[in-house]
């Protein structure tokens, strides 16, 4: 078993004490990054960041622990893009005016995003310009910023697509929102696709990472199975943009 898998298993054991069950996947952490006790406090650390205050166009993952952050962004009139589960149906966009007053919390949930948001293509995202901020959940994240997801590589894949289009780079602030039990104190060596985050927000603190390695760039096509490309419309779109297909 790889070190990353061992860490996931250890963290998932601790998560059972603080995680909030998902309506579809319950506590199956290989299928969902859960909400947890204290996620609203972690959100407060994010919204206190100058990078958050200055952001006008952000990317937020569909993780349950980010519901309160998405609610805050909708209420504050911030535009953001969110991926659908597994990126199977691409990306969704929320802009000011799309959610009526009083419906912000429902809109922040995945079912609400499906109702109020609209699909957006990679080409349209690229026309709008760079992301000011990226926020993601995680299964685990090390103190030196190495992030582990559920093991499917979705956030790494999204990062690859966005870097290929010039929407994010080394200077883009990336924040991981996790419970304190999901922080790994030892330093880890990132793989060629692992995304290094700049900040880790937990219920008790905001940890700033002194990044020691470069983030990856571009989609690693050689690491993808044909079925994954066939199941992910944005990858097919990127191939068309790049003249691969």
């Amino acid at each position: 078993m790889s070190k990353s898998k061992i860490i996931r298993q250890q963290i998932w054991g601790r998560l059972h004490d603080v995680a909030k069950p998902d309506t579809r996947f319950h506590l199956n952490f290989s299928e969902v990054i859960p909400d947890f006790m204290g996620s609203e406090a972690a959100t407060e650390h994010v919204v206190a960041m100058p990078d958050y205050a200055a952001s006008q166009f952000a990317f937020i993952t569909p993780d349950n622990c980010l519901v309160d952050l998405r609610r805050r962004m909708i209420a504050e009139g911030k535009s953001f893009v969110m991926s659908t589960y597994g990126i199977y149906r691409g990306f969704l966009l929320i802009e000011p005016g799309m959610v009526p007053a009083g419906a912000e919390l429902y809109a922040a949930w995945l079912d609400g995003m499906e109702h109020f948001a609209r699909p957006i293509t990679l080409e349209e995202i690229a026309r709008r310009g760079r992301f000011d901020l990226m926020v993601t959940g995680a299964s685990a994240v090390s103190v030196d910023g190495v992030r582990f997801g559920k093991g499917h590589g979705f956030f790494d894949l999204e990062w690859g697509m966005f870097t290929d289009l010039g929407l994010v780079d080394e200077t883009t602030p990336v924040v991981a929102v996790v419970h304190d039990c999901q922080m790994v104190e030892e330093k880890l060596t990132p793989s060629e696709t692992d995304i290094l985050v700049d900040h880790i927000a937990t219920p008790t603190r905001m940890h700033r990472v002194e990044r020691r390695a470069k983030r990856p760039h571009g989609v690693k096509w050689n690491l993808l199975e044909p079925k994954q490309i066939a199941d992910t419309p944005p990858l097919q779109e990127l191939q068309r943009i790049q003249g691969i297909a």
Side-chain angles (χ1 to χ4, degrees):
M1 186 180 292
S2 68
K3 189 169 186 177
S4 61
K5 288 183 179 179
I6 292 172
I7 289 171
R8 281 193 191 93
Q9 293 294 333
Q10 292 172 340
I11 297 297
W12 289 347
R14 300 175 202 161
L15 260 180
H16 274 272
D17 294 330
V18 297
K20 298 179 181 179
D22 180 75
T23 57
R24 283 158 282 199
F25 298 109
H26 190 51
L27 297 175
N28 182 355
F29 303 140
S30 65
E31 293 297 336
V32 64
I33 292 177
D35 195 6
F36 51 79
M37 298 176 188
S39 60
E40 294 86 356
T43 296
E44 290 295 336
H45 293 306
V46 177
V47 300
M49 296 173 58
D51 287 327
Y52 173 86
S55 66
Q56 297 296 319
F57 188 45
F59 176 78
I60 312 296
T61 58
D63 302 317
N64 289 357
C65 59
L66 301 181
V67 167
D68 192 50
L69 178 63
R70 294 193 294 267
R71 178 191 66 80
R72 292 283 294 265
M73 296 186 75
I74 292 168
E76 295 171 21
K78 290 183 178 289
S79 299
F80 65 90
V81 169
M82 187 192 80
S83 52
T84 57
Y85 179 78
I87 331 178
Y88 296 132
R89 288 170 294 102
F91 301 101
L92 299 173
L93 171 71
I94 281 285
E95 294 183 292
M98 295 177 72
V99 178
E104 294 88 357
L105 179 58
Y106 173 59
W109 288 99
L110 301 192
D111 288 344
M113 285 290 295
E114 294 284 352
H115 181 77
F116 290 109
R118 69 170 178 84
I120 184 170
T121 64
L122 283 176
E123 284 188 315
E124 187 177 353
I125 296 173
R127 287 196 298 269
R128 295 177 68 97
R130 292 168 53 87
F131 289 119
D132 303 314
L133 178 70
M134 296 183 75
V135 186
T136 178
S139 286
V141 61
S142 70
V143 291
D144 53 343
V146 180
R147 174 197 174 275
F148 297 122
K150 302 185 294 291
H152 304 307
F154 296 133
F155 188 64
D156 299 343
L157 195 55
E158 291 152 1
W159 176 266
M161 288 188 276
F162 296 154
T163 53
D164 269 338
L165 294 173
L167 300 173
V168 294
D169 59 21
E170 284 292 318
T171 66
T172 305
V174 181
V175 184
V177 175
V178 296
H179 191 272
D180 292 272
C181 76
Q182 293 172 279
M183 280 191 67
V184 179
E185 293 299 326
E186 63 183 296
K187 292 190 175 183
L188 302 174
T189 301
S191 73
E192 64 176 308
T193 59
D194 285 333
I195 308 305
L196 295 167
V197 306
D198 300 287
H199 306 274
I200 305 169
T202 77
T204 64
R205 60 172 169 155
M206 173 65 89
H207 173 75
R208 179 174 175 80
V209 175
E210 297 298 332
R211 199 160 68 241
R212 57 170 173 78
K214 284 193 172 184
R215 292 167 174 159
H217 185 281
V219 173
K220 311 299 182 187
W221 296 105
N222 61 307
L223 300 180
L224 301 181
E225 297 291 336
K227 185 179 187 306
Q228 185 173 14
I229 297 173
D231 289 344
T232 312
L235 285 176
Q236 299 167 43
E237 182 187 5
L238 183 61
Q239 286 186 327
R240 291 193 296 270
I241 292 172
Q242 295 180 328
I244 296 175

